[in-house]
């Protein structure tokens, strides 16, 4: 099934062939094998290891309902039709056994806590302090705010939906951009030392174009840390606070 889907996309197929050819060429030059690309260990860490984040985290501004979008995105040209009766039936059946027993919260305190945990974990791997950092799919913008106000970063975030928190969090070294990372020109070229993204990539409609754009906006030698769910995973819709059953999409 995977092979059939890949072959349907000619551009992706050509890109994969170019990558495979480059890997084989590199293997011949170095005397290695062409078994596959270099695989980084799951415990990858830059050397020398980044120093731990010091000091107390500042408190961001208190914001009521920071996560909802400032305005609704334009409807798709070919809207998806849903079976409301089936939806209500499944939600009722899973009421006592929801796919996520504890759904994530999106109030200011919860978003701040998750942002601090995420940034600490990523900083320990690739070092964020003092860098020019971009977050792809920044949501409410709390990670971007903490990057600027506690890690001394020139911090940028891009999202297709600007959030209610943006006008309050933006300013100084906090740059929040409404745009699609797959669209060329939304961000300045050769700018970012680090790129981070948390469970966003599975929602990117044009991932090949998005990766190409990341190459354009990152500095040579920059590092990207991207965590993505499986698009067809049971919780990939991120709607577990409203939808109890898996695979709603």
């Amino acid at each position: 099934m995977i092979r059939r889907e890949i072959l349907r996309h000619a551009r992706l197929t050509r890109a994969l062939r170019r990558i495979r050819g480059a890997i084989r060429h590199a293997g011949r030059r170095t005397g290695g094998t062409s078994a596959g690309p270099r695989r980084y260990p799951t415990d990858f860490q830059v050397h020398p290891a980044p120093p731990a984040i010091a000091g107390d985290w500042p408190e961001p501004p208190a914001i009521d309902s920071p996560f909802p979008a400032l305005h609704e995105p334009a409807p798709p040209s070919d809207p998806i039709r849903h079976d409301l009766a089936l939806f209500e039936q499944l939600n009722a059946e899973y009421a006592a056994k929801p796919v996520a027993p504890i759904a994530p919260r999106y109030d200011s305190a919860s978003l701040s806590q998750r942002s601090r945990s995420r940034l600490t974990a990523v900083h320990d791997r690739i070092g964020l302090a003092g860098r020019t950092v971009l977050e792809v799919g920044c949501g409410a913008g709390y990670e971007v705010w903490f990057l600027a106000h506690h890690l001394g970063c020139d911090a940028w975030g891009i999202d297709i939906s600007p959030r209610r928190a943006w006008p309050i969090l933006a300013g100084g070294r906090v740059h929040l951009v409404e745009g699609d990372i797959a669209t060329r020109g939304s961000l300045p070229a050769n700018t970012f030392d680090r790129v981070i993204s948390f469970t966003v990539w599975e929602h990117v409609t044009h991932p090949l174009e998005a990766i190409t754009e990341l190459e354009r906006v990152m500095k040579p030698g920059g590092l990207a840390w991207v965590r993505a769910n499986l698009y067809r995973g049971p919780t990939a819709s991120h709607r577990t606070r409203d939808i109890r059953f898996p695979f709603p999409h």
Side-chain angles (χ1 to χ4, degrees):
M1 183 184 70
I2 295 173
R3 178 180 175 82
R4 183 172 64 251
E5 290 298 316
I6 290 176
L7 290 175
R8 288 177 57 190
H9 301 279
R11 290 185 62 198
L12 181 58
T13 302
R14 290 194 296 271
L16 291 174
R17 286 173 179 167
R18 288 197 299 270
I19 293 170
R20 184 172 60 185
I23 293 168
R24 288 177 175 171
H25 180 67
R28 287 193 295 270
R29 287 197 311 165
T30 61
T33 67
S34 58
R38 179 180 180 183
R39 298 185 182 276
Y40 288 96
T42 56
D43 59 348
F44 172 80
Q45 187 179 54
V46 295
H47 181 78
I53 298 174
D56 295 330
W57 291 79
E59 285 295 330
I63 305 171
D64 292 331
S65 300
F67 195 75
L70 280 173
H71 55 75
E72 290 298 322
S77 57
D78 186 17
I80 299 172
R81 300 187 180 278
H82 300 277
D83 187 332
L84 181 59
L86 177 60
F87 174 89
E88 292 178 338
Q89 174 190 339
L90 289 170
N91 231 17
E93 289 179 2
Y94 277 83
K97 48 181 179 181
V99 64
I102 302 176
R105 298 170 62 90
Y106 289 84
D107 58 276
S108 183
S110 298
L111 289 169
S112 295
Q113 191 278 327
R114 281 202 297 276
S115 297
R116 291 190 294 265
S117 297
R118 287 170 169 177
L119 293 177
T120 298
V122 177
H123 171 78
D124 289 345
R125 298 299 186 190
I126 63 174
L128 299 174
R131 308 277 189 174
T132 301
V133 182
L134 168 67
E135 182 181 8
V136 176
C138 62
Y142 282 82
E143 283 96 347
V144 183
W145 190 89
F146 279 121
L147 283 167
H149 287 82
H150 191 49
L151 279 78
C153 299
D154 186 19
W156 294 66
I158 186 169
D159 202 296
I160 59 171
S161 298
R163 311 298 172 130
R164 290 181 184 174
W166 282 21
I168 301 172
L169 298 180
R173 303 180 75 183
V174 179
H175 314 277
L176 298 167
V177 178
E178 178 181 0
D180 184 349
I181 187 59
T183 302
R184 186 177 179 86
S186 298
L187 297 165
N190 192 30
T191 298
F192 302 103
D193 305 299
R194 300 288 186 264
V195 172
I196 60 177
S197 185
F198 304 97
T199 61
V200 170
W201 222 258
E202 64 269 26
H203 303 286
V204 175
T205 306
H206 302 288
L208 185 59
E209 288 83 350
I211 292 171
T212 301
E213 182 65 1
L214 279 193
E215 182 183 25
R216 187 186 72 85
V217 303
M218 291 178 70
K219 294 178 181 178
L223 293 173
W225 193 99
V226 178
R227 186 178 77 201
N229 286 334
L230 292 172
Y231 173 72
R232 295 186 182 276
T235 62
S237 73
H238 300 187
R239 301 295 181 184
T240 52
R241 61 192 182 278
D242 303 309
I243 301 175
R244 302 182 183 97
F245 58 89
F247 307 106
H249 52 306

